[in-house]
């Protein structure tokens, strides 16, 4: 029985880079996956997104937040955070200004 896919929801700023795609559906492997593995799969066809979300070390950029089912992965294990099948993963860019 296949596992439920993970939905990666993109903010408007990143949608503009990939022709307006608002979310990317990623098939879940039989075993668990991490945020890093999920992003590898999600960005395979949209390489431009990877540099906007992760730095040269593969870590989530300081101005980006990644939420797995509402939990801030950047406050926990970062790219090592487990992502269960069927999860909703939101990528959010920090907003600054004054």
């Amino acid at each position: 029985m296949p596992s439920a896919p993970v939905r990666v929801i993109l903010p408007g700023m990143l949608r503009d880079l990939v022709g307006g795609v608002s979310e990317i559906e990623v098939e879940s492997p039989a075993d668990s996956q991490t945020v890093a593995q999920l992003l590898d799969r999600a960005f395979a066809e949209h390489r431009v997104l990877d540099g906007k979300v992760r730095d040269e070390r593969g870590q989530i950029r300081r101005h980006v937040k990644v939420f797995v089912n509402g939990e801030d992965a950047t406050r926990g294990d970062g790219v090592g955070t487990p992502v269960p099948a069927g999860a909703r993963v939101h990528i959010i860019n920090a907003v600054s200004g004054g």
Side-chain angles (χ1 to χ4, degrees):
M1 178 164 136
S3 6
V6 173
R7 294 172 57 198
V8 179
I9 293 90
L10 303 173
M13 187 179 215
L14 295 180
R15 291 176 191 174
D16 293 343
L17 298 173
V18 292
V21 173
S22 62
E23 64 181 57
I24 302 169
E25 194 171 280
V26 180
E27 290 302 317
S28 296
D31 54 346
S32 65
Q33 65 183 325
T34 63
V35 165
Q37 292 166 325
L38 171 70
L39 295 178
D40 286 345
R41 289 181 179 101
F43 297 162
E45 293 182 30
H46 306 285
R47 297 304 311 160
V48 67
L49 295 178
D50 198 34
K52 301 292 183 185
V53 175
R54 295 189 282 188
D55 64 19
E56 60 282 345
R57 296 171 298 129
Q59 300 300 309
I60 298 167
R61 291 191 176 277
R62 287 187 355 212
H63 65 277
V64 175
K65 296 287 186 187
V66 176
F67 291 88
V68 178
N69 288 334
E71 296 293 322
D72 186 354
T74 57
R75 292 193 181 265
D77 292 331
V79 293
T81 301
V83 180
R88 290 178 56 93
V89 175
H90 287 82
I91 298 174
I92 308 221
N93 288 63
V95 176
S96 62

